[in-house]
Amino acid sequence: MKKIFLSALSIALATLSATAGNITGTVRAEGKKIPDDAGSGGKYESRKYKFVEKVNYDEFTDFVVYIEGPVGGKPVVPEKPVSVNTERVAQEGAQFRPHILPVVVGTTVEWPNNDEIYHNVFSMSDAKQFDLDLYKGNPPNKKVTFDKAGRVDVFCSIHANMHCIVLVLENPYFTKTDSRGRYSIENVPPGTYKLTAWHERLPKQTREIVVPKTGDVKMDFVLGINNLPKY
């Protein structure tokens, strides 16, 4: 009976993988064209402005690519918290690591403090508000379940540069890009979806994509300061 069950399970998994496609591509950022007279000379070389740090869009990382909305009619809620799979945000060197964490609705995230000083973890975002108070180490109660989709900005009340974002999504079909801006979302059920590329300081970009029953479909994105109201 056990062999029959395992055989049936293998067939079911093989059938599922045979009717699913993969989404691949790249994401990069692009800044606005700077006027020719802004590069050098005059006030731009003065002591007041010379060392002002400029945004380098070529160095942007932490892009997230995801399918919008529920897939299959309703959000997917994991049976186990993400912490069971070692998904967590650690406090190290007075920074949150990772800086960007995409999760599916219903995920529980742990917040261990690996520094030898006190930290605080709190958020006032609409999608989730919480305050874990001041603590050291990794007390078992310092965890948060994210039960509503949206962007959750997290801070420390003591240290000004401690900030991270938990991006809570409605389905498990998402990924972060690698260091070269490449991404791959695997085993997506065939269908037509809205695919979104996101970065914390740029407008997101959404395109329609048709995922085949098998094989890959490619979609590249270039994010910039576009499609915002002009004043």
Side-chain angles (χ1 to χ4, degrees), residues 48-67:
K48 182 177 181 180
Y49 300 114
K50 185 175 183 178
F51 299 104
V52 175
E53 184 177 2
K54 294 181 180 179
V55 176
N56 188 340
Y57 288 85
D58 292 334
E59 294 182 351
F60 275 20
T61 58
D62 283 335
F63 299 101
V64 179
V65 183
Y66 61 90
I67 291 177

Side-chain angles (χ1 to χ4, degrees), residues 31-46:
K32 288 182 177 293
K33 180 175 173 55
I34 300 176
D36 294 336
D37 65 348
S40 62
K43 293 293 185 181
Y44 295 99
E45 292 299 316
S46 68

